[in-house]
């Protein structure tokens, strides 16, 4: 099999790793609590957009449709959103091909990175195992990664033209740049340790920038308030009590949370309230996260201050 075919296969393995088959059941209490919080802290009969909606495992779509006048799901994975709607017995299309008037589903790529980009990176990584010069293979992968990140810096999603009364994004920011890290972890054993670490640092840096840009996109699309849920750190269960794991911050999520504080300090938004909860991410892998949902209220006339320098 050629490099291109192997890279596509590796990328498919990454996509498969993102599927948590028991999430709907395991997140039931978390989903109820988070949905309660959104409903209790928002006005009824307003519009809501859910960024990174996926299969709607972390928010109760049925209850949200009872509370809000219109709900819009935003995610680059259209199939996942359709599967989420099926859980509620909601048909994603009417007979005329249109969505129900109170429910919208918009496929949106938040970063501009596509499957072809990540497959090319996987190809370059895999080539390192078939060359006598690991430095050459490494620099080839680094060049592909640099082109990907140049692309993300120029990209502006179409959602910037849309606005909603309320917006929500839970556990999305940390996922934006995790594909290159996963691919490097799995296929980068042809690199020397120093080279791997340098690539990982570049990925972490760029992932943080993408997370901050997503903050800007969400806030620009928000009329009243954004509910932004960030994984502050890992969590472990001991004697029936959840404890935060020291020094386990989640790249992308942590920087995005700090960005909210920064925007509040320069007067771009109001940030006066937050809600902490444990997200039981994957019981089989013993993974859970301490989530902080930060309420960011938009300020009338703030305009470009959403993009104020750090």
């Amino acid at each position: 099999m050629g490099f291109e075919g192997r890279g596509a296969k590796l990328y498919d393995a990454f996509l498969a790793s993102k599927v948590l088959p028991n999430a709907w059941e395991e997140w039931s209490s978390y989903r109820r609590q988070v949905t309660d919080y959104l409903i209790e802290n928002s006005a009824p009969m307003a519009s809501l957009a859910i960024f990174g909606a996926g299969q709607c495992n972390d928010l109760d779509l049925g209850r949200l449709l009872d509370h809000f006048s219109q709900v819009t799901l935003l995610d680059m994975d259209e199939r996942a959103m359709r599967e989420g709607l099926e859980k509620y017995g909601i048909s994603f299309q009417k007979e005329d091909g249109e969505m129900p008037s109170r429910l919208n589903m918009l496929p949106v790529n938040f970063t501009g990175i596509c499957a072809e980009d990540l497959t090319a990176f996987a190809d370059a990584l895999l080539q390192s195992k078939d060359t006598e010069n690991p430095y050459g293979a490494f620099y080839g992968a680094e060049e592909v990664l640099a082109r990907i990140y140049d692309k993300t810096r120029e990209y502006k999603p179409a959602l910037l033209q849309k606005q909603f009364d309320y917006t929500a994004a839970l556990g999305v920011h940390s996922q934006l740049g995790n594909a290159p890290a996963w691919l490097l972890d799995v296929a980068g054993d042809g690199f020397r340790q120093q080279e791997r670490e340098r690539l990982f640092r570049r990925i972490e840096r760029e992932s943080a920038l993408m997370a901050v840009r997503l903050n800007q996109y969400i806030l620009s699309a928000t009329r009243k308030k954004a509910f932004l849920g960030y994984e502050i750190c890992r969590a472990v269960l001991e004697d029936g009590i959840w404890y935060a794991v020291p020094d386990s911050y989640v790249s992308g999520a942590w920087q995005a949370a700090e960005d909210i504080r920064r925007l509040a300090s320069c007067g771009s938004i109001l940030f006066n309230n937050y809600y902490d909860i444990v997200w039981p991410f994957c019981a089989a892998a013993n993974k859970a996260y301490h989530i902080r949902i930060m309420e960011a209220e938009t300020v009338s006339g703030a305009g470009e201050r959403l993009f104020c320098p750090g």
Side-chain angles (χ1 to χ4, degrees):
M1 183 183 292
F3 293 137
E4 183 175 354
R6 292 165 59 196
K9 185 175 180 179
L10 183 62
Y11 177 65
D12 287 341
F14 163 72
L15 295 179
S17 75
K18 296 177 64 178
V19 178
L20 301 174
N22 300 317
W24 178 256
E25 295 79 12
E26 293 177 357
W27 299 4
S28 59
S29 177
Y30 167 77
R31 178 169 58 250
R32 174 181 54 78
Q33 294 178 70
V34 173
T35 304
D36 285 346
Y37 185 77
L38 260 67
I39 290 175
E40 291 167 3
N41 291 276
S42 60
M45 295 298 103
S47 60
L48 169 71
I50 304 173
F51 285 68
Q55 294 188 351
C56 300
N57 287 322
D58 43 16
L59 286 169
D60 189 322
L61 184 57
R63 293 181 58 203
L64 294 177
L65 285 169
D66 288 338
H67 179 73
F68 292 98
S69 61
Q70 187 175 68
V71 175
T72 300
L73 308 181
L74 303 168
D75 200 291
M76 69 178 297
D77 190 342
E78 184 174 355
R79 183 174 66 177
M81 289 191 289
R82 292 180 179 181
E83 291 172 353
L85 294 179
E86 289 174 2
K87 295 174 185 175
Y88 297 94
I90 299 173
S91 174
F92 61 88
Q93 285 187 333
K94 292 182 178 179
E95 291 183 0
D96 60 2
E98 297 295 329
M99 288 289 294
S101 59
R102 296 185 56 245
L103 177 65
N104 297 304
M105 185 179 67
L106 299 178
V108 177
N109 187 326
F110 301 131
T111 65
I113 299 174
C114 62
E116 289 78 10
D117 297 322
L118 295 170
T119 298
F121 181 57
D123 287 335
L125 290 170
L126 290 168
Q127 188 173 357
S128 69
K129 300 178 181 181
D130 299 282
T131 178
E132 296 180 358
N133 182 2
Y135 283 103
F138 167 72
Y139 289 119
E142 189 173 35
E143 289 173 1
V144 172
L145 198 62
R147 290 197 297 270
I148 290 174
Y149 291 140
D150 286 344
K151 180 180 178 182
T152 65
R153 290 170 184 266
E154 299 296 325
Y155 179 75
K156 295 291 187 296
L159 63 90
L160 291 180
Q161 284 79 46
K162 300 182 181 297
Q163 279 209 318
F164 313 90
D165 295 322
Y166 296 93
T167 54
L170 303 172
V172 179
H173 293 72
S174 63
Q175 304 299 308
L176 295 178
N178 67 344
W182 189 95
L183 295 170
L184 176 59
D185 187 53
V186 171
D189 57 0
F191 300 145
R192 299 179 184 182
Q193 185 61 27
Q194 184 177 5
E195 297 166 343
R196 283 169 55 90
E197 290 177 356
R198 188 168 79 177
L199 263 186
F200 274 124
R201 286 195 299 271
R202 174 71 187 276
I203 291 169
E204 182 176 4
R205 213 166 42 243
E206 296 290 344
S207 297
L209 292 173
M210 284 189 280
V212 169
R213 286 197 292 270
L214 181 58
N215 271 354
Q216 296 168 345
Y217 301 152
I218 294 172
L219 292 169
S220 295
T222 305
R223 294 191 190 97
K224 294 181 179 180
K225 185 192 297 183
F227 297 92
L228 302 168
Y230 306 117
E231 308 100 303
I232 299 300
C233 62
R234 289 281 302 274
V236 294
L237 185 64
E238 295 181 7
D239 299 325
I241 300 174
W242 286 102
Y243 293 94
V245 178
D247 301 321
S248 63
Y249 82 94
V250 180
S251 182
W254 177 261
Q255 290 89 343
E258 289 300 301
D259 181 57
I260 292 300
R261 296 187 179 91
R262 178 184 67 87
L263 290 171
S265 71
C266 68
S268 301
I269 61 171
L270 299 177
F271 164 52
N272 298 314
N273 196 30
Y274 64 86
Y275 176 56
D276 287 348
I277 188 172
V278 172
W279 180 21
F281 184 74
C282 181
N286 195 27
K287 275 189 177 182
Y289 295 97
H290 173 97
I291 289 270
R292 174 159 294 172
I293 301 177
M294 305 173 76
E295 295 185 33
E297 297 185 42
T298 55
V299 177
S300 177
E304 292 302 317
R305 293 207 306 277
L306 287 174
F307 302 85
C308 67

